[in-house]
C-alpha cells in the first residue's frame, strides 16, 4: 500500500493556520507537534511538552525504492520480538517502522531512523468498523470527570473544577446520565470515590480481575507502574498491551494519533487534518499524499521515475460522474404580478414628482405657514417612500430538497460506507438574563425543542448563556436535561411536531392523526404525566432553593455559635455569616446569590461552565457516534428499545462579570458563547435563539443546511428565518406579527444581497462571524454601482477542489503576530478557526464547486472533552479576555448599538458576504411578542433608537464599501433614516386639525388638478398594496394593521431621535430593560395582557393627536354650520384628513379603553388638559371675528 501514491498533496499537508505554526518541510510532515530543524545538523527536534527528542536525517529517495522490503504491512512484524500491528482506532491503523523492521543494504540502513506512519482509512480498514476497540479507560475516566464537574474561574483567580455529587434533587434514569445517578464506591482503602461508568451507566472494570476503582485512583495506578491494585498485574490498554504509546522501553519515538497533538484527547487543529478527513474517494479524485505521521511522501513522488504511465499523476480514472443534484432552487415571482408591481412603482414615482412640482408652483397665499409645513412633510414622505420601495423590485422565493440532502450526506456511498452523517456540526445558542422577567419554564421548554431537533445528535450542541448567573436557571436546565431523557426519544419514536412539550400538549384536536404505532396513546399519556410533574418541579424551584439555602445558612449560624462557645468568645460579638445561595450538593453557588454579597452579585461573579452529559449528567460531552438504543425493560416508563436515545451536548455558561468592565449586554454574552463553543465543540455553524423562541419545525435546521451546502453556499454568511409568534390576539391589534416586514421586505431583500440579520432565528457561518471576507465576492462600481467586478479573497488553484489555508489566505493584512490582537491569546480558539472554515464548505461533488471539501470528510466522530479543554473554555469567557482585541469591533457581534443584530449583519454584507431568507412551509420557529400596547411601544422605541445610533456611526450605509449592492445600500440607508420620519409624521398629523381650526387648507382651492393628483396617488397606493399582498402572501388585513401601527409607532420614534441625539451630542448612554416574557397558566386568559393599560410618556403624543383632531372636527363643523358664508369645501378637505388620522389611531384608542371600557383616570386628565390648553391657545392667538349681524360675538379672555 505504501507504493500507491496519488498525484499531489493537499489536505493531508498540515494547515499553516493562523496560529502562526511554521510550515513543515515536505520531507517530514509531523502531525500534531511543532518541530524545527537544528541548524547545521539536519536533525529534527521535537520541542513539544517541554522536552526535546532528536531524530536522524530523513531517508534519501532511493532508500525506499523497494516498498515490499518495508515488511511493515498489516501483517508485518518487528525485530526484537513479535510485534503485531496496532489495533483499529477511529482513524485507521498505526504502522511503526524502525531500523530493525527494514531489511536494507548496510549503507542505506544507516540513513534510517525510527518513525511512524499512519495508514489512513481504506475500503478494508474503515473507522469504527465492527470489532473496533472501545475508547480507552482513561478516556472514559476523563469524560466522566468533566461531566460531573462544575468549572469556575475568572479574573485573578484559578480555574477550578468542583466535583458535584448531585446537580438536582430529582432522580434521573437515562443511561448516558450515569454521572448523576451515583455509582459503586472505589475498592481502594480509605477512598470513597465513585467507580467509573460507561455510556450505559455500567461500572467500568479496567482489569480482568474486576477490581472496582475510581478515576483518581486509576490515574495514580497508571503513574505507579500501571499495576492493578487488585491482582498486581499490568493494566492492558487496547487490544495489545505492548501497543501502549507511552511505553518508551522499545526505544521508538511514537507520535500521538489523530485527535492528539498539544492535547492528546482533543486537538482542534488535528481534527481538520486527520480526524475528520475521508481518504477513500480522495485517493481517486484528488492528489492527496497517502500516509502521514513523522514520515511524509513529498508531492510528485519520492523520485521522478515513480511516475509511470499507469499510476502516475492521475491516480486512476475518476469514478462515474453522477448528475449534479442541487439542494435548493430560486423561484422568481410570477411575471403577471411582479411586472405590474414594478410598473406601478414607476407610475407613482412620476405622479409624486409632478404633484410635488405642482404644489411648489401653486402656494396657498392665504396660509403660507400651513402650505410650507405640508410641502416639507410631503417631500420627506416621498423620499422615505422611495427608500422603502426601491429594494422591493426583485422579490424571490426559494425551495429546498431534503431528500437530496439526505442522499448526499447520510446515505452509504464509497466515501461513506457506513452511512454516517457527513453534515457539518451546529452549535445552538440560547440567551437569557433574568429568570424573573424570562420565566425559566419558557427557557427550559425552548431547550427541549432544540435537543429534539431532527439533526444528527453527534453534530448538535446546545449552549445556554445565563447572563444573570442565577442558580434558578442552572437547576431549571438540569431539570430540562433530566426530562429530555424521555421527551427526546418520544419525539423520535412517534415523529412529534412541534417538539416543544408545552405547545404540543396544548394543541387542540385529535393527537392520533397520522400516528402509525399502536403504543402511541399509551406513550403519550405517560409522557404527558411526566411533563406535568416536570412543570411542577420547575415552578417549585424558587421555593426549593430558598428553603434549602435557609436551612444551610441556619446550619452555618449554629456552627459559628458553637465555635464561639467552645472558644469562650462573646456570643454578642458573633461575626455575621454570609447568607449564601446553596446548590443541591451542599456547596455554595458560585454565581449570583439571592442576598447579594461581594463576588456573588449581578455584575460581579465568577465565570461558570457546566459541561455535562445531559447526555451524561447535566451539561456536556459529545455523544457517541453510533446509535444507542434503549433497553428492553418492563420497568421502563416507555419502550425505547428500537429508538436511538442519545441526546445532544448541552452546556450551561455564565460569563464572568466584574465591576469596572463593560460587559456589552447581550452582544457581549453572544461573543462569549462564540469563544466558548469554539473551544468545546467548534460547530462551523451557529444558530441563535432568544429564550422564548423554540423550534416548531424539526426539519428547519436541515432546510437551512441545504443553502450553505449547495453550490455557491461558501459565500453565504447567514440564513435568516422569519420570526413567527404565538399568543398574539386574533386581530393582531398592534401588528405584532410584523408580516409585512418579514414576508414582504425581507423576501424582497432575498433577491438582492440577502435579508438583514434581525435577531433570533438566524444560522451563522462561524467563519463569517470572525470578521473574514468570503472566498469570492463582487465589487460594484460606477455612478449607480451598476458595474460588477469579481474579486477573490483566497488563493484558488483550479486543479484542486479543496484549498489549504494560510494566514494570508484569510486576510491579506492578518499576520501571525496580529492574530492574538484580533482574537485574543487563546491558542485553542485560534487553532479552531481553520477547522471551522474547512468543515463549513459544501461538498466538492461537482466541477463547478470551487471551494468545497471531499465527501466523507466529516464522518469521523469528535474527540471527547477533557478538563484542560473545559478550563480553556472558562478562560475565554472571563471579563478581561476581550481587552485590547477586536471582539465587538470586527469579530463577533458588534458593540455600540442596542440593535447589534442589524449592525452585525451589515458588516458581513459590507465585506461581500451574502445571506438567504429561508421560509419553510411549516413555520420554523415560534416565539412570544409583547401584546400590551405600552410594551409594544417600548419595543419599537428600542429598535428605532438603535437605528438612530446606526445613522450617526460609521455603520451608516453612506460609508459602505463597494461590495454592497446599490439597492442593498438603499435598504440599509432606510434602516438608519426611518426614525426621523416621526418628526414630519407628527407635524402632518396636526395639520388637519390646524386646517380646521384656522379655516384654511393646504391648497387654496380644491381644484380639479389637486383632486386628480390625489386620486391618482391613492389609486397607485391601493394597487401597490394589493400586488404586494399577492406576491408576499400576506393578508390584506395584516397590511392595513401595519399601516395603522406605522402611524402609532411613529410617535415613539420621536423619542428615539431625541435619545439618539443626546447620546451623540452629550454622550448620555441609553439603557433599556428586558421585555417581560409572560408565562400564563393553563386556566388564565392568554390575552389578558392585551387589556392592561400601563401608563407611559409614550402614550402622550398619540393621545394628544387624537383628541386635538376630534375637537378640531367638532369645532370646524359648528363654525361652518353657524357661518353666514359656510365654506364646506375646506371643511371637507380638513375633515377628510382628520378622519384619516383617526382611522389609523383606532387600535390605539381601542387599547386605551382596556377591558369593558375601564380606562385609567390619568388618561382623561392628561388628554383634557392638553386639549383645552391647545384650544385656548389657538383662540387667543387667532380669536374669531364678530359678524355684522351680531351673530357670534367676538371672544375675549376675562
Amino acid at each position: 500500500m505504501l507504493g500507491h501514491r496519488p498525484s499531489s498533496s493537499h489536505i493531508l499537508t498540515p494547515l499553516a493556520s493562523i496560529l502562526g505554526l511554521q510550515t513543515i518541510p515536505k520531507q517530514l510532515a509531523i502531525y500534531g507537534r511543532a518541530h524545527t530543524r537544528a541548524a547545521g545538523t539536519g536533525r529534527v527536534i521535537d520541542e513539544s511538552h517541554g522536552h526535546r527528542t532528536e531524530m536522524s536525517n530523513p531517508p534519501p529517495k532511493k532508500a525506499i525504492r523497494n516498498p515490499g522490503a518495508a515488511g511493515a504491512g498489516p501483517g508485518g512484524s518487528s525485530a526484537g520480538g513479535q510485534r503485531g500491528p496496532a489495533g483499529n482506532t477511529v482513524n485507521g491503523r498505526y504502522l511503526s517502522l524502525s531500523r530493525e523492521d527494514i531489511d536494507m543494504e548496510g549503507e542505506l540502513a544507516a540513513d534510517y531512523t525510527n518513525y511512524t506512519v499512519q495508514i489512513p482509512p481504506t475500503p478494508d480498514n474503515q473507522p469504527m468498523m465492527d470489532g473496533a476497540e472501545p475508547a480507552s479507560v482513561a478516556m472514559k475516566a476523563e469524560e466522566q470527570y468533566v461531566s460531573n464537574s462544575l468549572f469556575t474561574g475568572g479574573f485573578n483567580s484559578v480555574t477550578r473544577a468542583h466535583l458535584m455529587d448531585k446537580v438536582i434533587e430529582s432522580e434521573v434514569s437515562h443511561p448516558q446520565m450515569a454521572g448523576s445517578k451515583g455509582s459503586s464506591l472505589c475498592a481502594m482503602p480509605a477512598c470513597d470515590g465513585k467507580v467509573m461508568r460507561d455510556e450505559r451507566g455500567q461500572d467500568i472494570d479496567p482489569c480482568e480481575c474486576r477490581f472496582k476503582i475510581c478515576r483518581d485512583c486509576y490515574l495514580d495506578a497508571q503513574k505507579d507502574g500501571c499495576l492493578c491494585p487488585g491482582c498486581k498485574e499490568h493494566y492492558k490498554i487496547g487490544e495489545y498491551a505492548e501497543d501502549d504509546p507511552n511505553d518508551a522501553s522499545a526505544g521508538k519515538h511514537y507520535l500521538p494519533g489523530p485527535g492528539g497533538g498539544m492535547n492528546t484527547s482533543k486537538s482542534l487543529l488535528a481534527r481538520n487534518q486527520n480526524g475528520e478527513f475521508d481518504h477513500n474517494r480522495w485517493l481517486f479524485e484528488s492528489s492527496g499524499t497517502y500516509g502521514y505521521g513523522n514520515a511524509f511522501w513529498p508531492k510528485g513522488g519520492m523520485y521522478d521515475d515513480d511516475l509511470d504511465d499507469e499510476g502516475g499523476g492521475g491516480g486512476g480514472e475518476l469514478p462515474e460522474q453522477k448528475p449534479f443534484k442541487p439542494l435548493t432552487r430560486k423561484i422568481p415571482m410570477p411575471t403577471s404580478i411582479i411586472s405590474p408591481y414594478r410598473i406601478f412603482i414607476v407610475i407613482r414615482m412620476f405622479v409624486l414628482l409632478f404633484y410635488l412640482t405642482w404644489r411648489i408652483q401653486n402656494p396657498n397665499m392665504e396660509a403660507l405657514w400651513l402650505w410650507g409645513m405640508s410641502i416639507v412633510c410631503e417631500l420627506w414622505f416621498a423620499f422615505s417612500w422611495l427608500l422603502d420601495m426601491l429594494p422591493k423590485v426583485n422579490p424571490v422565493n426559494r425551495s429546498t430538497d431534503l431528500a437530496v440532502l439526505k442522499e448526499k450526506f447520510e446515505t452509504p456511498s464509497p466515501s461513506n460506507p457506513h452511512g454516517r452523517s457527513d453534515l457539518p456540526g451546529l452549535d445552538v445558542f440560547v440567551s437569557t438574563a433574568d429568570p424573573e422577567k424570562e420565566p425559566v419554564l419558557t427557557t427550559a421548554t425552548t431547550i427541549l425543542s432544540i435537543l429534539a431537533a431532527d439533526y444528527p445528535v453527534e453534530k448538535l450542541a446546545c449552549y445556554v448563556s445565563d447572563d444573570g448567573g442565577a442558580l434558578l436557571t442552572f437547576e431549571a436546565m438540569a431539570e430540562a436535561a433530566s426530562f429530555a431523557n424521555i421527551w427526546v426519544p418520544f419525539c423520535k419514536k412517534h415523529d412529534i411536531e412541534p417538539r416543544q412539550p408545552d405547545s404540543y400538549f396544548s394543541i387542540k384536536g385529535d393527537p392520533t392523526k397520522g400516528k402509525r404505532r399502536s403504543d402511541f396513546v399509551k406513550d403519550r399519556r405517560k409522557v404527558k404525566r411526566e411533563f406535568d410533574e416536570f412543570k411542577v418541579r420547575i415552578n417549585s424551584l424558587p421555593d426549593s432553593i430558598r428553603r434549602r439555602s435557609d436551612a444551610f445558612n441556619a446550619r452555618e449560624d449554629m456552627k459559628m455559635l458553637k465555635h464561639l462557645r467552645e472558644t469562650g468568645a462573646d456570643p454578642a460579638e458573633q461575626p455575621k455569616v454570609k447568607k449564601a445561595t446553596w446548590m443541591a450538593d451542599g456547596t455554595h453557588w458560585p454565581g449570583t446569590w439571592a442576598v447579594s454579597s461581594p463576588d456573588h452579585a449581578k455584575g460581579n461573579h465568577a465565570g461558570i461552565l457546566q459541561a455535562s452529559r445531559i447526555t451524561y449528567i447535566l451539561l456536556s460531552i459529545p455523544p457517541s457516534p453510533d446509535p444507542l438504543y434503549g433497553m428492553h425493560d418492563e420497568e421502563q416508563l416507555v419502550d425505547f428499545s428500537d429508538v436511538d436515545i442519545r441526546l445532544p451536548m448541552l452546556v450551561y455558561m455564565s460569563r464572568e462579570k466584574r465591576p469596572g468592565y463593560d460587559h456589552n449586554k447581550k452582544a457581549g454574552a453572544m461573543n462569549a458563547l462564540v469563544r466558548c463553543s469554539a473551544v468545546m465543540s467548534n460547530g462551523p455553524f451557529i444558530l441563535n435563539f432568544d429564550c422564548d423562541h423554540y423550534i416548531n419545525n424539526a426539519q428547519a435546521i436541515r432546510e437551512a443546511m441545504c443553502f450553505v451546502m449547495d453550490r455557491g453556499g461558501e459565500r453565504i454568511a447567514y440564513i435568516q428565518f422569519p420570526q413567527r409568534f404565538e399568543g398574539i390576539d386574533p386581530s393582531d391589534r398592534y401588528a405584532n406579527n410584523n408580516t409585512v416586514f418579514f414576508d414582504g421586505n425581507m423576501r424582497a431583500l432575498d433577491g438582492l444581497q440577502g435579508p438583514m440579520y434581525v435577531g433570533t432565528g438566524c444560522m451563522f457561518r462561524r467563519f463569517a462571524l470572525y470578521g473574514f471576507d468570503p472566498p469570492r465576492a463582487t465589487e460594484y462600481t460606477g455612478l449607480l454601482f451598476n458595474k460588477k467586478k469579481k474579486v477573490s479573497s483566497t488563493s484558488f488553484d483550479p486543479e484542486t477542489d479543496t484549498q489549504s489555508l494560510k494566514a494570508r489566505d484569510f486576510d491579506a493584512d492578518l499576520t501571525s503576530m496580529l492574530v492574538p490582537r484580533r482574537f485574543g491569546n487563546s491558542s485553542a480558539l485560534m487553532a479552531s478557526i481553520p477547522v471551522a472554515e474547512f468543515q463549513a464548505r459544501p461538498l466538492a461533488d461537482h466541477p463547478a464547486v470551487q471551494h468545497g471539501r471531499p465527501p466523507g470528510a466529516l464522518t469521523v466522530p469528535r474527540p471527547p472533552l477533557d478538563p484542560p479543554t473545559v478550563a480553556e473554555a472558562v478562560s475565554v469567557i472571563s471579563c478581561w479576555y476581550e481587552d485590547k482585541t477586536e471582539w465587538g469591533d470586527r469579530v463577533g457581534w458588534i458593540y455600540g448599538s442596542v440593535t447589534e443584530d442589524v449592525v452585525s449583519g451589515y458588516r458581513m454584507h459590507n465585506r461581500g458576504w451574502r445571506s438567504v431568507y429561508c421560509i419553510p412551509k411549516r413555520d420554523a420557529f415560534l416565539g412570544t411578542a409583547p401584546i400590551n400596547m405600552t410594551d409594544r411601544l417600548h419595543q419599537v422605541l428600542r429598535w428605532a433608537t438603535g437605528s438612530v445610533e446606526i445613522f450617526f456611526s460609521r455603520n451608516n450605509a453612506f460609508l459602505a464599501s463597494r461590495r454592497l449592492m446599490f439597492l442593498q445600500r438603499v435598504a440599509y440607508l432606510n434602516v438608519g433614516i426611518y426614525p426621523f420620519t416621526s418628526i414630519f409624521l407628527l407635524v402632518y398629523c396636526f395639520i388637519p386639525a390646524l386646517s380646521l381650526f384656522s379655516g384654511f387648507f393646504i391648497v387654496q382651492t380644491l381644484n380639479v388638478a389637486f383632486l386628480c393628483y390625489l386620486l391618482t396617488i391613492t389609486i397607485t397606493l391601493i394597487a401597490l398594496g394589493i400586488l404586494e399582498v399577492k406576491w408576499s402572501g400576506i393578508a390584506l388585513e395584516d397590511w392595513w394593521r401595519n399601516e395603522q401601527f406605522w402611524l402609532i409607532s411613529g410617535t415613539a420614534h420621536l423619542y428615539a431621535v431625541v435619545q439618539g441625539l443626546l447620546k451623540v451630542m452629550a454622550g448620555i448612554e441609553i439603557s433599556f430593560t428586558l421585555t417581560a416574557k409572560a408565562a400564563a397558566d393553563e386556566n388564565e386568559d392568554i390575552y389578558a395582557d392585551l387589556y392592561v393599560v400601563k401608563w407611559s410618556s409614550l402614550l402622550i403624543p398619540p393621545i394628544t393627536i387624537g383628541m386635538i383632531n376630534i375637537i378640531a372636527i367638532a369645532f370646524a363643523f359648528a363654525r361652518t354650520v353657524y357661518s353666514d358664508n359656510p365654506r364646506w369645501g375646506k371643511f371637507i378637505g380638513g375633515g377628510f384628513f382628520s378622519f384619516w388620522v383617526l382611522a389609523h389611531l383606532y387600535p390605539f384608542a381601542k387599547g386605551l379603553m382596556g377591558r369593558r371600557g375601564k380606562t385609567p383616570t390619568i388618561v382623561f386628565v392628561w388628554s383634557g388638559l392638553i386639549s383645552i390648553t391647545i384650544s385656548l391657545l389657538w383662540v387667543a392667538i387667532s380669536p374669531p371675528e364678530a359678524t355684522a349681524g351680531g351673530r357670534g360675538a367676538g371672544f375675549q379672555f376675562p
Side-chain angles (χ1 to χ4, degrees), residues 220 242 269 511 648 678 733-734 745 747 777 783 950 989 1000 1042 1056:
D220 291 339
E242 59 270 21
L269 184 59
R733 181 181 295 176
Y734 306 119
N745 298 60
R747 197 190 302 260
L783 183 61
I950 292 173
C989 287
F1000 301 108
N1042 183 78

Side-chain angles (χ1 to χ4, degrees), residues 169 254 276 440 448 463 544 584 593 679 744 792 914 1036 1086 1129:
E169 296 179 354
Y254 292 96
E276 296 182 350
V440 291
L448 289 170
Y463 292 80
S544 176
W593 289 355
V679 174
S792 178
R914 294 181 174 271
L1036 188 60
I1086 60 174

Side-chain angles (χ1 to χ4, degrees), residues 1099-1142:
L1099 302 179
I1100 295 178
I1103 288 175
T1104 304
I1105 291 173
M1107 295 299 294
I1108 292 298
N1109 276 277
I1110 292 174
I1111 294 173
I1113 291 175
F1115 175 82
F1117 179 78
R1119 184 183 58 188
T1120 303
V1121 168
Y1122 289 100
S1123 174
D1124 291 335
N1125 184 22
R1127 305 172 68 177
W1128 289 101
K1130 292 186 176 181
F1131 169 74
I1132 292 174
F1136 172 79
F1137 284 103
S1138 285
F1139 276 115
W1140 175 85
V1141 173
L1142 293 175

